[in-house]
Amino acid sequence: MADEKTTTIGFVNENAIVSALRDTYLSFAERREALGLSNPGTIDNIAREVQKDVFLQNYMFTGLRADLTKAFSVAPLFQVSHAFSMGSQGLPPYTFAALYGTPKVFLQGNIDNDGQLSARANYRWTNSFVTKTNAQIAPGPGQAMLQVDNDYTGKDFTASLKSLNPSFLEGGLTGIFIASYLQSLTPSLAVGLEAIWQRAALNAGPETAVSYSAKYKGSDWIASAQLQAQGALSTSYWRRLTEKVEAGVDLNLQFAPGMGGRGGGLMGSGMRKEGTTTLGAKYDFRASTFRAQVDSSGRLSCLLEKRVAPPVQLTFAGEIDQFKQQAKIGLAVSIEAAGEDLMEQQEKAAGSTAPPPPF
């Protein structure tokens, strides 16, 4: 039996077709390695520098807010927090949160005063492969949500597979599934695509869509573009002006069939066109960060984060809508409490080579 297995392996290794394919792959891998390509990130974060670092969408709030955080450990990471808000349109009056993290596991749970529960569970299988799970449960019917992401990070590419509310309970596959791939072609250029398959119920047919992405990175600037199947085009440009100043611009164009009329059609007057341009800047000072942005719809927003003491941070947010004649304002205070022993843990963790938790 062992002789037959050895003979089979030898035949495969000595086969001319297999040898040619192996030599071709090794030659391609060597040329690919010689290019010095780096990982381009994910398609979800293709415009991260503009949309998540400079712009205010992830930081904007209204009303009064207070966050109290208590850290118990650094390695492993463990902390709890209490968040209070008043007069906010999107934040509940009270939220309790706890998180735990190790180089392989990250767990986080939030529950508010209305009983809405959200939880995240991430696991790093290898240094390149991470699975992320996000679940939400609300008291009302039809408010549950489950999302599972699988990200594989290679040396010069990233592949992702996501599923939103996947289910076989109806006798078939339903839900939303998204597969994406982003590949570096040169040290500066990366291109990718994203495919979506969704099916709300078995009595409805599946729907598919494909979008294309590109990203170009210069010495101190990054440009990206995304073309979606629904007729949407998104472009962004980020530039570091100085060591502490960043600026970005984002353009979104929507092309959709409108109310057809005389001369209508796909390229005629029946095509409805909409677009929004947003310009923003970020200033980093010694103990504060200031962000401001303005868009073509007449909204002007700003946000200031000020560290008044090592454990205390104040945040001021404001927005004015010129066309709607509306104004919003927000003020928050964040207090972080930690014991003296955590400083020693942070110093030890800074010198450690262990990877951070898979956030």
Side-chain angles (χ1 to χ4, degrees):
M1 187 70 179
D3 294 339
E4 294 180 359
K5 184 176 181 180
T6 303
T7 303
T8 303
I9 296 176
F11 171 77
V12 172
N13 292 333
E14 296 175 1
N15 186 273
I17 299 178
V18 175
S19 299
L21 293 175
R22 182 175 63 249
D23 294 341
T24 302
Y25 173 78
L26 293 177
S27 177
F28 176 76
E30 291 177 357
R31 295 182 180 181
R32 190 171 169 180
E33 187 74 20
L35 291 175
L37 303 179
S38 60
N39 183 269
T42 62
I43 287 186
D44 288 342
N45 293 326
I46 196 169
R48 176 183 60 84
E49 292 79 7
V50 175
Q51 298 178 356
K52 297 185 178 181
D53 293 345
V54 176
F55 287 175
L56 280 65
Q57 280 83 348
N58 296 330
Y59 306 94
M60 198 64 191
F61 66 96
T62 58
L64 301 178
R65 197 183 74 190
D67 299 328
L68 307 177
T69 303
K70 171 65 175 179
F72 295 93
S73 175
V74 175
L77 177 64
F78 177 60
Q79 66 182 37
V80 298
S81 64
H82 305 268
F84 304 88
S85 66
M86 182 174 62
S88 176
Q89 298 178 353
L91 298 176
Y94 172 74
T95 302
F96 172 79
L99 62 86
Y100 173 84
T102 68
K104 279 189 170 293
V105 178
F106 176 74
L107 303 174
Q108 181 180 13
N110 304 333
I111 186 169
D112 60 24
N113 56 287
D114 294 330
Q116 182 172 345
L117 174 67
S118 61
R120 294 172 57 196
N122 303 345
Y123 187 80
R124 177 181 281 118
W125 303 93
T126 65
N127 291 334
S128 302
F129 183 50
V130 177
T131 297
K132 302 178 181 180
T133 305
N134 188 357
Q136 294 183 4
I137 301 176
Q143 298 296 322
M145 187 275 291
L146 174 64
Q147 180 176 340
V148 181
D149 301 352
N150 296 280
D151 298 333
Y152 185 86
T153 305
K155 291 183 179 180
D156 56 4
F157 72 93
T158 300
S160 302
L161 178 61
K162 302 180 181 182
S163 58
L164 181 62
N165 290 336
S167 175
F168 289 95
L169 298 180
E170 298 182 10
L173 182 62
T174 59
I176 301 176
F177 301 87
I178 304 173
S180 62
Y181 183 85
L182 188 62
Q183 172 71 57
S184 293
L185 299 183
T186 69
S188 301
L189 178 63
V191 297
L193 58 85
E194 184 177 73
I196 301 176
W197 185 94
Q198 62 179 356
R199 190 174 190 178
L202 290 182
N203 56 6
E207 300 178 0
T208 59
V210 179
S211 60
Y212 305 91
S213 304
K215 179 179 181 180
Y216 190 89
K217 183 177 182 180
S219 58
D220 58 355
W221 60 274
I222 298 175
S224 64
Q226 289 183 289
L227 178 61
Q228 301 179 1
Q230 296 84 356
L233 174 64
S234 301
T235 61
S236 66
Y237 178 80
W238 172 89
R239 188 178 186 90
R240 182 176 294 279
L241 302 179
T242 65
E243 183 181 355
K244 297 184 178 181
V245 181
E246 307 173 19
V249 59
D250 186 85
L251 173 64
N252 289 296
L253 298 177
Q254 297 281 345
F255 301 95
M259 301 299 294
R262 286 178 26 176
L266 184 62
M267 300 301 294
S269 60
M271 175 65 69
R272 179 168 52 90
K273 311 175 187 67
E274 297 179 356
T276 304
T277 302
T278 305
L279 176 64
K282 174 186 175 183
Y283 299 82
D284 288 321
F285 301 99
R286 184 179 60 86
S288 62
T289 300
F290 177 75
R291 293 178 173 89
Q293 74 178 45
V294 60
D295 59 31
S296 56
S297 63
R299 290 187 301 176
L300 174 63
S301 309
C302 66
L303 184 136
L304 175 64
E305 297 173 317
K306 173 69 175 180
R307 178 75 60 177
V308 296
V312 181
Q313 175 177 289
L314 296 179
T315 304
F316 171 82
E319 179 182 287
I320 299 177
D321 194 323
Q322 302 289 346
F323 294 161
K324 296 182 180 180
Q325 297 296 315
Q326 295 178 353
K328 301 177 182 178
I329 191 172
L331 180 63
V333 57
S334 301
I335 301 176
E336 301 175 0
E340 296 180 356
D341 57 334
L342 288 184
M343 298 299 295
E344 299 179 359
Q345 296 185 21
Q346 289 180 352
E347 294 177 357
K348 294 180 180 179
S352 176
T353 59
F359 295 111

